[in-house]
Amino acid sequence: MSFAAIGAGLAVIGAGIGIGQVGGRAMEGIARQPEASGKIQTAMIIAAALVEGVALFGVVVALIS
Amino acid sequence: MFLEINPLVKPDIGLIVWTTITFLILLVLLRKFAWKPILGAVKGREESIKESLASAEKAREEMKRLQSDNERILQEARQERDKMMKDARDIRDKIVSDAKADANEQAEQIIASAKEQIDNQKMAAITELKNQVAEMSIEIAEMILRAELDDKEKQSKLVDNHLKNFKLN
Amino acid sequence: MRKFLNLSVLSVALFSVTFPTGIIAQSHQAENHSTSTTEVSESAADQVETAHAEEEEFDPTEVVMHHIADAHSFHVYGEGEEAVSVPLPVILYTSKGLVTFMSSAFHHDTHGHHVVERNGQRFVNYHDDIYELNAGAEHLEFEGDHTVTNASLPLDLSITKNVFTLFLAAALLLLIFGSVARNYQKGSVPSGLAGFMEPLVLFVRDDIAIPNIGPKYGRYMPYLLTLFFFIWIINLIGLVPFFPFSANLSGNISFTLTLAVIALLVVNFSGNKAYWKHIFAPQPWWLWPILFVIEFLSNVVIKFFALMIRLFANITAGHIIVLSLISLIFIFKSVYMSAVSVPFALFISVLELLVAALQAFIFTLLTALFIGQAVAEDHH
């Protein structure tokens, strides 16, 4: 159980960094080009979802074991 | 079982079956009774908006055309009016100047005739005055001659004087 | 997008009005649960060893798992024999045919003690799995901790709490959108509920379907709309903490698995020549063995596995966090802890409202994206 928790935690760290990068860059993009904010938001959500997907695999492996 | 699966991630056949059935039935029902009417109405409305926008654009174009027509007609009317005004002014000016010239002429005529009359009367007066003055001078000369030629001495003296004057010449 | 967020904020405001009652109901249940463990440990011979150590202990894991798991009856309030719960039909497909009875026949027993006899078959409810006892067996026997030795699991098609929620959500959707559709028959200007729902429908069309699928979006609109509103309403139902809501349906792996499989079928059946060529004959040819495996796995397995896990994990995590925060009160055995727990739980619940909409949006968006990839024309 504790190993699984550590695994889930590590997965969350990775996803946190990833989603942070995605969100931060998206905000830079919006600040630079506010008129493109709609497109940037959609692309950001998709990228964040993909990063999150990887983290979720980790979480699921942690849950199963 | 080799691996104890967490109950959280253990699939449950019953729920899968029911979810499939419910989702498919819901999809069919909603498609028929909700999505088609809603999307149809929205699309119809969008099209009618597009159409009315187009017709409004057309009406505006028409309006613009009418307006430019109006403008043209107005311009023409204005020109016409200007022309009429100018004509009227010209006629008036002509009438006035004619009248003025007429009046001047008449006045001159009157003045000329008056002058003539005055001259005539002046001449008559002068002639009369001359006549009177001549008569009076003759009378005065007569009286003087009578007075002077009363005695001999005086006569001879006069003659002498005159003779002296002549001698100087 | 901004419209969408505004609507989320509105639903947050609506929800916060109903929330306080929910907190009380949840904490009430959790409290009673701790006493029930005591009751059970007295009677359950097999569990004495395991339960003994935690007789007086409050076990948050068990409470949380109990709340997010499926159940055969819909618990309203109370615990043990006095518990008030709505019985739901149990439908079993056994080796001897279909067996149905109401879940109240078990008398709230989920520890395998109360035996129900129907058609000469004997059933027990053990942790909401219904076992059919083998011939001659009187009660469940275990090998090790949880492996049952003398009973089998029949195919369980019961109307459980989650299935009930499924029907509830479907009924609500039909009710809401039926009335919205009727509104449009009076004229094409929406009023009332239709005015509220139309921006959402248009959001799905203009911000999800058209940008991702392209000109062929029309065919997929009913599916995407149904998917979006179905997930969203189920997420919201899960957040309302009292009967007849509160079931953790979208945080159940079977539910998300089904939706993901349907998405997989929709995407792969709408795949055109370019899509299949991309999978089976990727360029360049000498990388074929690697690329084929990657493309195949990604298109047929990974995309949909991620869809399934994302929704499941997000919703379950939200429920677990709220329940854990409420459990803090019982872990610390102090009513003053609620001054911390309740505001935090409220905050998380409000956040979960955003997540409820966001996850419905992401599931639909990604499905539309995958459909778009499958129907895109080849640009090579």
Side-chain angles (χ1 to χ4, degrees), chain B residues 8-16 18-20 22-23 26-27 29-31 33-35 38 41-42 45-46, chain C residues 68 129 155-159 163 166-167 180-181 184 188 190 198 202 205 222 226 230 252 254-255 257-258 262:
Chain B
L8 271 180
V9 287
K10 196 173 74 181
D12 168 12
I13 305 288
L15 188 56
I16 291 175
W18 283 117
T19 307
T20 313
T22 313
F23 187 79
L26 186 68
L27 177 59
L29 287 180
L30 280 180
R31 181 162 79 174
F33 295 112
W35 307 137
I38 291 173
V42 168
R45 197 180 58 210
E46 278 168 357
Chain C
I68 61 180
D129 281 332
L155 183 59
D156 187 354
L157 296 175
S158 307
I159 309 299
V163 178
L166 205 60
F167 295 162
V180 169
Y184 282 100
S188 65
E198 191 190 294
L202 288 182
R205 191 190 67 176
T226 311
F230 195 50
N252 187 301
S254 313
F255 174 78
L257 171 74
T258 316
I262 292 172

Side-chain angles (χ1 to χ4, degrees), chain C residues 199-252:
Chain C
L200 294 171
V201 174
L202 288 182
F203 168 75
V204 173
R205 191 190 67 176
D206 297 338
D207 289 347
I208 296 179
I210 294 177
N212 291 308
I213 300 178
K216 290 176 192 157
Y217 77 94
R219 276 180 64 197
Y220 302 99
M221 276 310 289
Y223 169 62
L224 293 175
L225 283 167
T226 311
L227 191 65
F228 178 74
F229 287 106
F230 195 50
I231 296 174
W232 195 11
I233 204 161
I234 285 172
N235 288 347
L236 290 178
I237 284 175
L239 289 177
V240 182
F242 47 83
F243 181 83
F245 309 106
S246 84
N248 178 33
L249 176 54
S250 48
N252 187 301

Side-chain angles (χ1 to χ4, degrees), chain B residues 10-103:
Chain B
K10 196 173 74 181
D12 168 12
I13 305 288
L15 188 56
I16 291 175
V17 169
W18 283 117
T19 307
T20 313
I21 295 171
T22 313
F23 187 79
L24 293 181
I25 291 176
L26 186 68
L27 177 59
V28 169
L29 287 180
L30 280 180
R31 181 162 79 174
K32 187 154 186 289
F33 295 112
W35 307 137
K36 274 210 175 130
I38 291 173
L39 289 173
V42 168
K43 194 157 210 171
R45 197 180 58 210
E46 278 168 357
E47 259 155 32
S48 83
I49 286 172
K50 212 180 272 172
E51 248 166 52
S52 32
L53 275 180
S55 72
E57 182 68 22
K58 228 165 82 182
R60 214 176 54 180
E61 209 88 325
E62 183 82 356
M63 193 81 158
K64 216 180 218 168
R65 208 172 54 73
L66 279 178
Q67 219 162 26
S68 72
D69 268 17
N70 276 356
E71 195 77 9
R72 198 170 50 74
I73 290 167
L74 211 68
Q75 193 69 28
E76 276 175 13
R78 204 172 287 138
Q79 278 172 358
E80 187 89 347
R81 191 198 62 185
D82 283 356
K83 199 167 146 276
M84 279 165 77
M85 290 275 282
K86 194 165 161 284
D87 285 0
R89 204 176 292 131
D90 285 355
I91 290 168
R92 185 197 65 186
D93 284 356
K94 198 166 161 288
I95 290 170
V96 168
S97 68
D98 279 7
K100 246 185 209 163
D102 234 30

Side-chain angles (χ1 to χ4, degrees), chain A residues 4-57:
Chain A
I6 291 168
L10 288 174
V12 167
I13 290 174
I17 294 172
I19 293 181
Q21 290 264 350
V22 170
R25 294 290 150 83
M27 284 197 190
E28 272 175 29
I30 291 172
R32 208 168 287 163
Q33 262 183 299
E35 67 277 2
S37 60
K39 279 185 178 172
I40 292 174
Q41 265 170 349
T42 313
M44 178 190 80
I45 287 174
I46 292 170
L50 293 177
V51 173
E52 198 188 42
V54 177
L56 293 173
F57 287 133

Side-chain angles (χ1 to χ4, degrees), chain C residues 267-290:
Chain C
V267 169
N268 284 295
F269 275 110
S270 52
N272 60 11
K273 213 194 256 171
Y275 172 77
W276 291 116
K277 205 179 139 203
H278 207 76
I279 293 174
F280 287 106
Q283 300 288 341
W285 60 268
W286 45 270
L287 276 177
W288 188 85
I290 304 168

